[in-house]
Amino acid sequence: MPVGAPHATVLGLGVHRAKRIVPNSEVIAAIDSSDEWIQQRSGIKERRWVGPDETLESMSLEACRLALANASIEPAQVDAIIVATCTHTMQTPALAAKLAHLLGTQSPAAFDISAACAGFCHALSLANDMVRAGTARHVLVVGAELLSEMTSRTDRGTAFIFGDGAGAVVVGPSDVPGIGPVVWGSDGEQFDAIRQSTDWREVLASESPVMPYIQMDGGAVFRWASFEMAKIAQETLDRTGISVEDIDLFIPHQANMRIIDAMARAMKLPEHVRIARDIAEQGNTSAASIPLALGRMYDEGEARSGDLALFIAFGAGLSYAAQVVRVP
Ligand SMILES: CC(C)(COP(=O)(O)OP(=O)(O)OC[C@H]1O[C@@H](n2cnc3c(N)ncnc32)[C@H](O)[C@@H]1OP(=O)(O)O)[C@@H](O)C(=O)NCCC(=O)NCCS
């Protein structure tokens, strides 16, 4: 039987933001909108979309290399790679297997998971369990999305929301707890509130096939996230055995600034808690949004090594996952 570590922790973070800065002025004409409307309803000023030399794979690779370097872990020490994504256009093989090869690792377990915007927190929880169970010692957890390719430029409810990028963390053994218990779940009754516009079979049957894009019932998602997720956040703190006073950072999925504000109000976050607001310059990057948001907080001096952060992610499914993390 493998022997697990007493606890697991996040050892290092790496992020890659897509290079092209796309201001609201570039997306408004096709959806009869305005910079003012987008900022007021979503908090987004600009988003990042891939440049000509960037792909889902290249962004993920860069994030992984930085995470390994920051964790002082060699590729050969990686026992498993988990990629959370909903925009890998090859149904098989997994992007994780390609990354394993490109990183120069030595036969790690490598698989992708599909939990949309909640994917990173799901993968982080799996990594936490694997390290403690002894089925892996070091796990690379990646959240990566190339959403600009799966966004309709003329869909008023989504054309301005999504962005591209990747974030990765290395999870490894620790003598003290670094990742708290997960609270996760789904509300399958709303399984089609956020969805791919068309099934691949319908695309193939079409006389003029187009790439499927993400569709969303914005109002339903907004209400669900604003009211239900604050309760999940509180349950996560309760299960960790801490109070809102004990956290330093609140890093929710970057879906909409108004959802972030509604959650912060409902949770009665004290003044000292710094709140991630990466969405303003990055857009919503689904599974990549939490590591990217943490990356910006380091860059802007808002996060320091050892801070206690509450992660909470939610999206298509509708699925959610949350945990408290001691940041590296
Ligand atoms: C998409 C979203 C920003 C729309 O905001 P909203 O306040 O719900 O907007 P509504 O759809 O109710 O529309 C309000 C008005 O704005 C108009 N409108 C809708 N989209 C618009 C756009 N892109 N530009 C300008 N006006 C727009 C509507 O026609 C409507 O006009 P009316 O009042 O004259 O009828 C919001 O629903 C949202 O953010 N939802 C959650 C999205 C999310 O988090 N997704 C990711 C989950 S992982």
Side-chain angles (χ1 to χ4, degrees), residues 27-167:
V27 300
I28 55 180
I31 51 172
D32 184 21
S33 190
S34 65
D35 176 40
E36 192 192 5
W37 190 94
I38 294 173
Q39 287 206 42
Q40 197 185 48
R41 297 293 174 123
S42 70
I44 300 171
K45 295 180 190 153
E46 60 194 31
R47 74 274 307 128
R48 296 295 191 108
W49 284 354
V50 285
D53 59 337
E54 292 177 301
T55 62
L56 185 67
E57 183 182 298
S58 72
M59 293 191 294
S60 306
L61 195 58
E62 176 69 10
C64 287
R65 285 189 174 133
L66 289 169
L68 288 169
N70 288 334
S72 301
I73 294 294
E74 294 299 321
Q77 293 174 268
V78 173
D79 302 310
I81 304 181
I82 312 173
V83 178
T85 184
C86 60
T87 49
H88 179 43
T89 46
M90 290 287 283
Q91 215 138 16
T92 194
L95 177 60
K98 184 83 176 282
L99 294 177
H101 168 65
L102 295 172
L103 287 166
T105 54
Q106 291 179 357
S107 312
F111 55 96
D112 296 354
I113 63 162
S114 171
C117 303
F120 180 80
C121 290
H122 278 75
L124 188 59
S125 174
L126 293 179
N128 183 27
D129 292 349
M130 288 157 74
V131 170
R132 291 179 306 142
T135 50
R137 196 166 162 78
H138 294 107
V139 184
L140 202 43
V141 173
V142 189
E145 302 286 7
L146 203 168
L147 282 152
S148 60
E149 252 184 17
M150 287 193 75
T151 299
S152 162
R153 299 286 187 269
T154 56
D155 182 320
R156 294 186 98 201
T158 55
F160 58 93
I161 286 184
F162 296 118
D164 302 333

